[in-house]
Amino acid sequence: MMLHDLKNNTIKTLDNHMDVPYYKPIAKEIEVFEHSYAQKLSFLLKGPTGTGKSRFIEFMAHRLGKKLITVSCHEETSSTDLIGRYIIKGAETIWLDGPLTTAVKTGAFLYLDEIAEARPDVIVAIHSLTDHRRELFIDKLGETIKAHQDFMLVASFNPGYQRGFKELKPSTRQRFVAVSFSYPQAKIEADILVNETNILEPDAKKLVNIANKIRNLTELGLTETVSTRLLVDAAKLIRSGLPKRLAVHVAVVEPLTDDIEIVSALNDLCDLMI
Ligand SMILES: Nc1ncnc2c1ncn2[C@@H]1O[C@H](COP(=O)(O)OP(=O)(O)OP(=O)(O)O)[C@@H](O)[C@H]1O
Ligand SMILES: [Mg+2]
């Protein structure tokens, strides 16, 4: 893995000679992705935090033997960050390709994580890449480049945010094949915990039961509820020797809310279940 620090470490390149990332399929997402790749369609991963979106794309890149370039979008992410810029080196000004241009030229997967956070000019920049044209216009160079045949654009989007809510326009959404990620069935989620952390199966099942109990408490009004990621963290702490209840308090309950009464009620509830 290589990190090039263009801006706040938001770009990550995953080369393909690492171990296969572990990914447990939830539905038909692998098949859908493979066909989308074959048909050169862009792909959107929708879903709440911690549901395996990033893990899935890492797995797919590995499975298809592709290099994966990830850009974590935030409100400052601009088309220049993606396409490239002139930089001054000694007495010279040289052009430096951004991650999008690199992916377009080399046929890598470009993963725009949290695409809705990025500035509008990012959306404009990718439009011509996500339709039949498959080309990128680099305005600073006055050049248009055709995408390498293996180039694929993948983006993630969390539709659930209530605060700082950002939508994707239909004209953008409709350029992607989209798959929803959510909390897996209990059996699958327990398998994920066992695989990720080596926790004992009965404990994994208890953690999943706790999660499903809290997920059903919609009256709590949480922005986002217990994710698989939180359960993995709790399982790791248990594996590491922390008392089970404490592990659940700090890894599952506390990250969910700062409301003291809710925390205390959830802790009591969890204590009954593990
Ligand atoms: N289907 C799955 N197979 C294997 N591991 C999973 C799966 N789903 C979730 N996980 C576990 O949950 C963790 C969080 O998943 P991941 O980072 O992919 O979430 P995400 O959807 O990208 O979240 P965010 O929106 O916050 O970026 C992973 O590190 C992994 O341990
Ligand atoms: Mg992610």
Side-chain angles (χ1 to χ4, degrees):
M1 192 182 297
M2 179 172 79
L3 276 172
H4 22 160
D5 188 8
L6 234 183
K7 231 185 188 180
N8 326 329
N9 278 344
T10 49
I11 300 168
K12 190 171 100 181
T13 305
L14 200 70
D15 286 317
N16 233 303
H17 32 70
M18 317 171 44
D19 292 343
V20 189
Y22 164 72
Y23 180 76
K24 176 106 181 157
I26 309 296
K28 300 271 181 224
E29 64 276 27
I30 295 180
E31 206 179 327
V32 175
F33 190 94
E34 286 182 340
H35 283 278
S36 303
Y37 173 58
Q39 295 305 317
K40 306 294 170 244
L41 296 170
S42 304
F43 200 93
L44 184 66
L45 316 173
K46 303 193 291 182
T49 187
T51 47
K53 301 184 295 296
S54 295
R55 180 63 68 86
F56 173 68
I57 184 61
E58 283 168 18
F59 169 78
M60 288 311 306
H62 200 284
R63 185 177 163 100
L64 296 167
K66 306 303 302 175
K67 185 168 167 177
L68 176 66
I69 304 175
T70 298
V71 178
S72 303
C73 301
H74 51 78
E75 58 263 23
E76 304 276 299
T77 308
S78 67
S79 59
T80 301
D81 296 330
L82 296 189
I83 295 174
R85 51 165 54 88
Y86 281 107
I87 58 161
I88 296 170
K89 201 173 182 191
E92 276 181 297
T93 312
I94 56 165
W95 173 259
L96 201 66
D97 282 343
L100 174 61
T101 308
T102 304
V104 165
K105 285 182 178 170
T106 60
F109 286 176
L110 183 81
Y111 180 40
L112 295 178
D113 206 355
E114 291 293 346
I115 187 175
E117 295 291 323
R119 286 181 15 187
D121 60 340
V122 166
I123 308 292
V124 175
I126 62 169
H127 267 197
S128 58
L129 274 170
T130 49
D131 55 34
H132 64 281
R133 291 172 284 176
R134 281 181 56 88
E135 58 190 30
L136 175 67
F137 177 58
I138 306 181
D139 59 346
K140 293 207 175 73
L141 300 177
E143 263 176 35
T144 298
I145 49 174
K146 276 268 171 220
H148 185 289
Q149 58 169 359
D150 292 346
F151 167 76
M152 184 167 178
L153 184 74
V154 183
S156 79
F157 172 56
N158 182 342
Y161 282 147
Q162 282 160 3
R163 243 168 309 147
F165 182 76
K166 286 190 180 160
E167 253 304 345
L168 274 182
K169 287 194 296 187
S171 56
T172 305
R173 302 170 69 102
Q174 296 199 16
R175 294 178 130 78
F176 292 85
V177 169
V179 166
S180 281
F181 283 69
S182 187
Y183 313 112
Q185 284 172 7
K187 170 83 183 76
I188 294 179
E189 196 164 36
D191 282 354
I192 293 173
L193 300 186
V194 171
N195 253 287
E196 283 281 282
T197 70
N198 277 323
I199 191 176
L200 297 174
E201 200 175 329
D203 289 336
K205 285 183 174 158
K206 285 179 191 160
L207 287 175
V208 171
N209 284 343
I210 287 175
N212 284 326
K213 186 86 184 172
I214 299 176
R215 286 167 187 162
N216 287 325
L217 297 175
T218 45
E219 63 272 23
L220 293 180
L222 301 170
T223 318
E224 299 229 344
T225 184
V226 185
S227 65
T228 306
R229 174 186 293 132
L230 291 190
L231 296 186
V232 169
D233 292 347
K236 282 181 180 163
L237 294 179
I238 291 172
R239 274 291 292 158
S240 153
L242 203 66
K244 292 174 196 173
R245 289 181 178 169
L246 180 56
V248 170
H249 293 179
V250 297
V252 178
V253 176
E254 290 284 356
L256 284 183
T257 174
D258 300 319
D259 184 314
I260 298 168
E261 280 174 22
I262 297 181
V263 166
S264 148
L266 288 180
N267 281 342
D268 291 347
L269 175 74
C270 294
D271 288 352
L272 296 172
M273 298 182 73
I274 193 159

